[in-house]
Every structure is written in structure tokens, then in C-alpha cells.
Amino acid sequence: TGIFRFLDVLPEEDIEKGVVFSDIAASENNTLLLSTSDNRIFRLDVTTGKAVCINQLQDWIKVNCILSEDEGRYLVGCLQGVLVCSDSLGTENFITDDDPHSLSNTNVTCMTKDSDGNIWLGTYHGGVNLYHNPQHRIIQHYKNTSGTSITGKIVRAICSDNNGDIWVGTEDGGLCRFIVKERRIEDLAALNSFGVNNYHSIIRNGDEMWVATFGRGIFILDAASGEFKDHLDIGDNQIINIMRASNGYVYIGTATGLYLYREGRETMK
């Protein structure tokens, strides 16, 4: 008890119509960015619980993910590409696959920001794209076409570790880490002999990286070495997403419900 608090963001008529939230992302000044299934973007003040609609996207856009970029600016990953938006101007730019310096695939499934402010974009069948800041253009692709590429093209999970290296989980090629300073790809699935190639979510948890699979639970790896440390079997191992709250609790969303993991406890809740 006391963990959950209901936030009355959507009007009752929207809920009755089946409108749901498609993604949620942390942003500046104690706010969250929320996207809805009817293509609205809200900014929620977590202190007051008040939310303001800051953008209404066009009907033909299908939102997959959202990421805060700079103060008042954010990126929306969707089936059709990436929207560059701001609170004041709405949609400012639309990045697609229409030139060599654009996306390798428009279906952007996940995004993360590194310590230099660059945005790493996971795509469906296009591998990982790097969106350089402040050039504001895609100039590098990392997909399964060469020895310096990630393993797999269907990217479902992407996360930056404490060293600024990028961890990538795919549906079709397993788990790898991009050592940014050395510009080298390390195959972590092969390193640890996992025999798993369907990774759905990755989080940083202190000096560990938690890697969620669809079917085999959560693998816990040492963030520095990339080596296996532990495995969590939660019963329903078909994991869709995981996140770590500021209090250290880890929330695990699966095909059948939500689990809570608290360090030091022997069981899941």
C-alpha cells in the first residue's frame, strides 16, 4: 500500500473511448512526458499531479516512444520516423529515411541519450542509428552488415551504461555493447553463452545492467565487464518492459501483469 497514486490526466470520456498512454519518459523540472494512443503529448508535473497537453500530432502518426532532449524540447519515435518537437512550437522537424544522412528505417522503437547529448535510436529492421547533437542529423548507422555492427536489426532495447557505452538488445540477434571510445561492438550474448536472442528491455541498476528477455526472465550482468552475475526467474518470464524507480525498486511489466522487485527480498510481488 502507498506505492501507487492515481493521476487524473485523461478526461472520463477519453477513457471510455479506449484512449491509453503509449509511452512515458522522464523530463526536466520534475516533469514527465506522456504520449497517448490518440497522438497527444502531455507534460505532467509530478509534484502537483497536473498535466497539460503540449502537442496534438496528426492522425496518421503511430507513436512508439518519447524522449526528452533539451529543456522544452523532445523527440517522438514513431512508425514513420522521428518528430523533433518543443513545448512552444509543437512539431519543428520530421526525420525520415529520405536521404543518406537520415534513418536506416523509419520505424523507431526505442531511444536513449548518452553523456555527450547524442541520441541513439533503435529501429525495426534497421539496426541502431546515431543522431548527433548539435548537428541534428543522422550520420551513422549500426546494423548487421559488417564486423563493426550490432548483432541483429530488430532493436527492442537500448540503454547507456555508467561509462557511456551503449547496450543494445534485439529480437533477431541477441545482446551487444557498443564501446563508444574504441568504436567496437562486443557480443555479450556469445560472451556469456546465453543462447537467447529475444531481448525486450535493458536498465542500468547501479554497477549492474539488467537485461529482460521475452521467455527467459532477467539476466543481470556486470556493467564494467559485461559478464553474467545472476538470473531472475519471475514465473511469467515473457517480459515486455522493466524500469528502475528512484527508490531502487524495479518494476517489471510482463504479458500477464506487473511485478515489483525490492533488493534483499527473496520473492517478487
Side-chain angles (χ1 to χ4, degrees):
T1 61
I3 295 176
F4 297 99
R5 172 188 171 197
F6 179 74
L7 299 175
D8 191 12
V9 176
L10 293 175
E12 186 66 31
E13 56 267 27
D14 285 344
I15 297 174
E16 292 176 355
K17 292 177 184 177
V19 178
V20 296
F21 291 107
S22 56
D23 198 21
I24 181 170
S27 191
E28 71 273 1
N29 301 322
N30 290 320
T31 65
L32 299 175
L33 292 172
L34 312 172
S35 62
T36 64
S37 56
D38 63 348
N39 290 342
R40 282 177 291 172
I41 306 295
F42 288 86
R43 186 175 291 278
L44 171 70
D45 187 317
V46 298
T47 303
T48 65
K50 300 297 183 181
V52 176
C53 181
I54 57 175
N55 203 346
Q56 172 67 71
L57 305 176
Q58 298 181 47
D59 292 340
W60 53 270
I61 293 172
K62 181 185 181 302
V63 175
N64 292 327
C65 52
I66 191 167
L67 179 72
S68 180
E69 189 184 12
D70 302 315
E71 187 166 350
R73 301 182 76 247
Y74 55 95
L75 301 179
V76 179
C78 56
L79 179 64
Q80 298 83 3
V82 177
L83 301 173
V84 182
C85 306
S86 70
D87 289 11
S88 58
L89 299 177
T91 302
E92 298 179 0
N93 193 15
F94 190 26
I95 303 171
T96 60
D97 59 354
D98 55 1
D99 69 65
H101 296 301
S102 291
L103 294 166
S104 59
N105 185 285
T106 60
N107 193 352
V108 176
T109 57
C110 51
M111 300 184 287
T112 192
K113 181 191 291 186
D114 66 23
S115 57
D116 294 324
N118 301 311
I119 308 297
W120 297 78
L121 310 165
T123 69
Y124 193 84
H125 274 293
V128 173
N129 292 196
L130 176 56
Y131 175 76
H132 277 272
N133 221 356
Q135 291 94 337
H136 297 296
R137 62 175 185 167
I138 305 292
I139 63 173
Q140 289 176 293
H141 301 157
Y142 299 91
K143 57 183 179 179
N144 194 18
T145 57
S146 72
T148 57
S149 298
I150 65 169
T151 52
K153 297 181 183 179
I154 305 176
V155 180
R156 284 296 184 191
I158 190 165
C159 183
S160 176
D161 65 20
N162 292 328
N163 293 323
D165 296 328
I166 306 299
W167 294 55
V168 179
T170 71
E171 284 189 11
D172 62 331
L175 175 70
C176 62
R177 173 172 58 177
F178 180 55
I179 312 299
V180 176
K181 292 181 179 179
E182 301 176 16
R183 311 197 69 78
R184 175 174 60 87
I185 302 291
E186 184 178 16
D187 188 340
L188 298 177
L191 172 68
N192 293 288
S193 302
F194 283 154
V196 179
N197 68 352
N198 195 343
Y199 298 89
H200 269 219
S201 188
I202 304 171
I203 62 169
R204 182 174 63 248
N205 189 18
D207 59 358
E208 299 172 340
M209 301 296 286
W210 288 33
V211 182
T213 71
F214 194 80
R216 290 189 58 189
I218 297 174
F219 291 96
I220 300 176
L221 279 67
D222 182 83
S225 68
E227 294 180 352
F228 173 79
K229 293 182 65 176
D230 202 357
H231 176 257
L232 294 179
D233 187 331
I234 63 173
D236 177 10
N237 282 324
Q238 295 182 336
I239 299 171
I240 307 299
N241 204 357
I242 55 176
M243 70 160 288
R244 183 185 185 277
S246 58
N247 59 7
Y249 293 177
V250 177
Y251 295 88
I252 305 164
T254 75
T256 60
L258 180 68
Y259 291 79
L260 169 63
Y261 176 86
R262 286 181 279 187
E263 189 175 359
R265 300 292 182 92
E266 295 182 355
T267 59
M268 292 279 182
K269 179 179 179 182

